[in-house]
Amino acid sequence: MEAVVVNDVKKNFRLYSDKAVSLKEKIISLGRNKYKKIEILKGISFSVEKGEAIGIIGKNGCGKSTLLKLLSKIMYPDFGTIELKGRVSGLIELGAGFHPDMTGRENIYTNAAILGLSRKEIQEKFQTILDFSELGSFGMYTRLAFSVAINVDADILLIDEILAVGDYSFQAKCINRLKEIKSGGATIILVSHSLGQIEEICDRCIWIKDGKIEKEGL
């Protein structure tokens, strides 16, 4: 059964050459701002089966992270459709939703709520999240962010370079946990520059080049 279906997705951005800053500048330059349309994704299509893990690779600027943001609905495509079946958990912008003035406990509750957990679910998983992060009551947002995201019982897990955090032992722990999540039937989409991690976790790989799928396979 298909968990993710991406059909002919295109995404453009506008690069303004003379962007006004102050209100006065905006009024003076009204209607005169020039921009260049940049095509980031130029018609991406693929599907992912339930319980499958795929890797997304490519050079910086090819559209990998943009694709993940579209899948997580942080932004939306200009053309094409994306269908996701089930609860989605994403580690797209590491530490997003974590505030430095809040305690570790407060950040866990806030971030887990953003990912769709009820207060009761967070209470039930709180100690598991804390134990996995190995931080006690305080610590790095990166570890807490990963620990929260992998404990929301997501059907689809989106990951952008998250496995670069922490020391070797923590990275190995993260990879083992992802394998457990996958064996439990979750679908994983991983963006990474580490081909070793892709090979260890993923069933197949998609290579994006200049906004298009160059190659796809095992």
Side-chain angles (χ1 to χ4, degrees), residues 12-84:
N12 303 319
F13 291 104
R14 292 180 178 183
L15 179 63
Y16 288 89
S17 57
D18 184 23
K19 190 172 182 180
V21 177
S22 69
L23 179 60
K24 181 180 178 181
E25 288 174 336
K26 289 180 180 179
I27 293 173
I28 292 174
S29 63
L30 190 63
R32 294 185 345 198
N33 280 343
K34 295 181 180 180
Y35 66 86
K36 179 182 179 182
K37 186 174 78 172
I38 301 176
E39 294 180 288
I40 302 298
L41 296 177
K42 306 173 183 178
I44 298 288
S45 296
F46 65 90
S47 62
V48 188
E49 296 292 319
K50 184 182 185 313
E52 184 182 20
I54 69 164
I56 307 290
I57 63 172
K59 292 182 178 180
N60 289 336
C62 71
K64 305 185 305 297
S65 294
T66 296
L67 175 59
L68 229 58
K69 288 177 181 178
L70 292 172
L71 289 168
S72 64
K73 297 185 179 179
I74 291 175
M75 57 178 70
Y76 294 88
D78 296 314
F79 184 86
T81 59
I82 295 175
E83 185 178 358
L84 304 169

Side-chain angles (χ1 to χ4, degrees), residues 133-147:
S133 69
E134 302 175 358
L135 296 175
S137 299
F138 305 96
M140 291 168 47
Y141 294 144
T142 52
R143 291 195 176 194
L144 279 177
F146 185 88
S147 189

Side-chain angles (χ1 to χ4, degrees), residues 34-200:
K34 295 181 180 180
Y35 66 86
K36 179 182 179 182
K37 186 174 78 172
I38 301 176
E39 294 180 288
I40 302 298
L41 296 177
K42 306 173 183 178
I44 298 288
S45 296
F46 65 90
S47 62
V48 188
E49 296 292 319
K50 184 182 185 313
E52 184 182 20
I54 69 164
I56 307 290
I57 63 172
K59 292 182 178 180
N60 289 336
C62 71
K64 305 185 305 297
S65 294
T66 296
L67 175 59
L68 229 58
K69 288 177 181 178
L70 292 172
L71 289 168
S72 64
K73 297 185 179 179
I74 291 175
M75 57 178 70
Y76 294 88
D78 296 314
F79 184 86
T81 59
I82 295 175
E83 185 178 358
L84 304 169
K85 299 176 182 177
R87 174 185 276 179
V88 179
S89 178
L91 288 91
I92 311 300
E93 304 221 352
L94 203 52
F98 283 77
H99 197 286
D101 294 333
M102 295 167 62
T103 66
R105 171 181 285 272
E106 290 169 338
N107 272 308
I108 288 174
Y109 270 81
T110 301
N111 200 247
I114 290 172
L115 293 174
L117 266 67
S118 67
R119 186 169 185 82
K120 181 180 178 182
E121 287 176 312
I122 300 170
Q123 289 173 339
E124 291 173 349
K125 295 177 181 294
F126 181 83
Q127 194 58 49
T128 300
I129 292 169
L130 206 58
D131 290 345
F132 187 93
S133 69
E134 302 175 358
L135 296 175
S137 299
F138 305 96
M140 291 168 47
Y141 294 144
T142 52
R143 291 195 176 194
L144 279 177
F146 185 88
S147 189
V148 170
I150 63 172
N151 281 287
V152 300
D153 294 334
D155 301 296
I156 301 169
L157 186 58
L158 310 173
I159 308 172
D160 189 0
E161 293 292 354
I162 183 68
L163 298 181
V165 305
D167 53 27
Y168 177 80
S169 62
F170 187 74
Q171 289 182 33
K173 182 178 178 180
C174 292
I175 290 173
N176 289 335
R177 178 62 179 138
L178 287 176
K179 289 179 179 178
E180 292 174 4
I181 291 172
K182 179 177 176 290
S183 65
T187 301
I188 298 173
I189 298 179
L190 168 66
V191 166
S192 179
H193 287 289
S194 172
L195 295 181
Q197 290 177 352
I198 294 283
E199 290 176 358
E200 190 167 0

